[in-house]
Structure formats: structure tokens, C-alpha cells
Amino acid sequence: MHTASQALAIERQASAQPSLAERVSRPKTRAILGLMRLNFLSVMDLQLREKHVLIGGGSKGIGLACAAGFLGEGARVSLVSRDMAHLETARTRLLDRFPQAGSRIAL
């Protein structure tokens, strides 16, 4: 249990943290986000060619981004999600980005 003065100090520390908008507006953060948009990781060879990757939550967000990264490395990808319609949409999006990966995507 915190005393009133400890709670006040914790609240001040929390409010002193910059907001997300403030962090994104920093030049260094903008540069990192720009590199991410350029997909700078695509130059790495992670030796995943013909490996099989199972991705839970692969229809949206981080799971879909991971699937795209693994397909870019040549891996076979199995996507799992609670909604089959979302999986079909994810497959379509991945095939738009990686047309040659048709046989490497399983739902």
C-alpha cells in the first residue's frame, strides 16, 4: 500500500512521461518509423526458406505482419484465427503482397 505522498510522486512521474503523439513527433522516432515503412529487415537472411511457421492470431495486426515477414523470408506459413472470414481476408492481402506465395499459405 502506498502512502499519500508516495502515490502523489508516482502520479507525477506518470504525468511527466511524454504522450504517444509527443514521442512520434521526435526526429529519431520519425526516422525509425520511416525505416520500418521501408521494410529494412528484408535485407536480412534469417535462413527460414522452406521452414514451417504456425502463427496464432494471424489474421490481423502483429500476427499478419509476422506472416508477411516470414513469407518474405521464404517460409511456409499457417495462419490460425477465430474467424475464417478474417483469415480469408488476410490470405488475400498476403497474396497481393507475395503473389508467388500461394502454395506457402495455409489457413
Side-chain angles (χ1 to χ4, degrees):
M1 198 86 180
H2 294 292
T3 65
S5 61
Q6 289 172 327
L8 185 58
I10 291 170
E11 186 177 323
R12 283 185 187 145
Q13 282 180 332
S15 64
Q17 299 295 323
S19 69
L20 178 61
E22 291 169 331
R23 290 194 310 262
V24 169
S25 67
R26 294 178 181 168
K28 186 175 182 181
T29 305
R30 281 197 316 262
I32 291 169
L33 292 173
L35 287 173
M36 289 171 68
R37 279 194 295 270
L38 291 175
N39 198 12
F40 69 98
L41 293 176
S42 64
V43 298
M44 297 175 71
D45 181 12
L46 300 176
Q47 301 177 0
L48 296 174
R49 188 160 307 285
E50 297 307 317
K51 301 290 183 183
H52 193 157
V53 180
L54 174 66
I55 300 175
S59 64
K60 295 181 183 178
I62 293 172
L64 184 58
C66 288
F70 287 126
L71 284 171
E73 289 292 321
R76 289 176 283 136
V77 176
S78 293
L79 302 176
V80 179
S81 178
R82 292 179 290 173
D83 189 335
M84 190 63 180
H86 289 163
L87 282 173
E88 292 292 344
T89 303
R91 181 187 179 110
T92 303
R93 290 178 66 189
L94 290 169
L95 287 174
D96 287 345
R97 187 166 174 192
F98 303 98
Q100 76 285 2
S103 64
R104 292 188 291 135
I105 302 172
L107 305 179

